[in-house]
Amino acid sequence: GENVEQHPSTLSVQEGDSAVIKCTYSDSASNYFPWYKQELGKGPQLIIDIRSNVGEKKDQRIAVTLNKTAKHFSLHITETQPEDSAVYFCAASNPQTGANNLFFGTGTRLTVIP
Amino acid sequence: DAGITQSPRHKVTETGTPVTLRCHQTENHRYMYWYRQDPGHGLRLIHYSYGVKDTDKGEVSDGYSVSRSKTEDFLLTLESATSSQTSVYFCAISESDGLVQYFGPGTRLTVT
């Protein structure tokens, strides 16, 4: 199956700075890459996703980049705010595994220091 | 949480007892999933359903069974709970393409 690695496991930034979280995947057949934000005691919330036919996608302060050749993708958060503090998960979907199942990274705990 | 409810939200049970967790959706989505979340492992797929009475195994299905008799309900059963099944369980739903998944609020299960 797919193997997704995520780095770093923890990240602290000053408010207003940028944060970058990186993920790599193992199966070149994977073609869908979502990012989820999870706040304490809640379920993961989809914040942005990218499909393999594009290299970058932006939504306000959040962007995701994809390098299919290197099999890695990254989440970029600009102008960070305290409410961005949460655990972020990347995932990859391999259509060959059935029902487009998602394989998740192990998460990055982002802390934005006011 | 995208019209998804999970019940119960918290449960403590003893080793060897059966446990059933329920996921209910109001979105009429085709796909439903059960994941478990453990420290250091992210979320791992247990079972999924691609329609009423259509289910299949995920990455960590041993010790779990599922049933889906109605579009809106997906049940996860632990036939004989073990301490290794202490975890937070999340249900997710997806529309026609099965890619974009939305998660419920989770059930924290403790097996003593």
Side-chain angles (χ1 to χ4, degrees):
Chain A
E2 175 66 275
N3 181 45
V4 178
E5 296 189 354
Q6 183 172 346
H7 299 280
S9 56
T10 60
L11 179 61
S12 293
V13 299
Q14 292 289 331
E15 182 177 358
D17 288 349
S18 296
V20 180
I21 302 171
K22 298 181 179 181
C23 289
T24 61
Y25 61 100
S26 61
D27 195 328
S28 56
S30 290
N31 63 0
Y32 173 68
F33 307 93
W35 285 89
Y36 286 86
K37 175 184 180 182
Q38 186 176 26
E39 298 176 332
L40 191 63
K42 296 186 178 181
Q45 176 188 9
L46 179 68
I47 56 172
I48 196 167
D49 57 10
I50 191 168
R51 307 202 180 213
S52 60
N53 58 345
V54 297
E56 184 176 5
K57 183 177 179 180
K58 290 184 179 180
D59 183 4
Q60 299 182 337
R61 297 186 296 109
I62 295 173
V64 56
T65 58
L66 171 65
N67 184 326
K68 289 167 52 181
T69 303
K71 290 188 285 188
H72 67 71
F73 56 111
S74 300
L75 178 70
H76 304 255
I77 306 174
T78 59
E79 302 174 15
T80 55
Q81 302 168 2
E83 50 265 39
D84 294 329
S85 295
V87 179
Y88 291 82
F89 291 95
C90 63
S93 177
N94 183 342
Q96 297 175 356
T97 62
N100 295 311
N101 297 337
L102 292 178
F103 293 86
F104 283 82
T106 52
T108 296
R109 181 174 300 278
L110 173 64
T111 302
V112 179
I113 304 166
Chain B
D1 290 318
I4 309 169
T5 56
Q6 293 185 231
S7 58
R9 294 295 312 280
H10 302 271
K11 186 171 183 64
V12 179
T13 192
E14 294 183 349
T15 299
T17 60
V19 177
T20 296
L21 309 182
R22 179 181 183 238
C23 177
H24 178 78
Q25 61 148 328
T26 58
E27 307 295 327
N28 200 36
H29 283 0
R30 176 185 177 188
Y31 294 92
M32 298 186 75
Y33 306 81
W34 276 107
Y35 291 87
R36 60 178 290 173
Q37 184 175 41
D38 305 290
H41 289 278
L43 291 102
R44 293 179 291 174
L45 181 67
I46 304 171
H47 281 282
Y48 64 95
S49 169
Y50 46 96
V52 173
K53 299 190 187 303
D54 292 323
T55 65
D56 206 347
K57 297 179 180 179
E59 187 184 359
V60 290
S61 60
D62 288 349
Y64 302 94
S65 63
V66 290
S67 65
R68 191 171 178 197
S69 59
K70 298 184 290 185
T71 299
E72 58 266 35
D73 290 326
F74 193 31
L75 304 180
L76 177 70
T77 297
L78 291 66
E79 301 290 347
S80 178
T82 67
S83 58
S84 64
Q85 294 175 312
T86 292
S87 187
V88 181
Y89 291 85
F90 288 99
C91 173
I93 63 174
S94 180
E95 212 169 2
S96 56
D97 67 359
L99 280 177
V100 182
Q101 296 184 22
Y102 300 97
F103 284 78
T107 293
R108 181 173 295 277
L109 176 67
T110 303
V111 183
T112 61

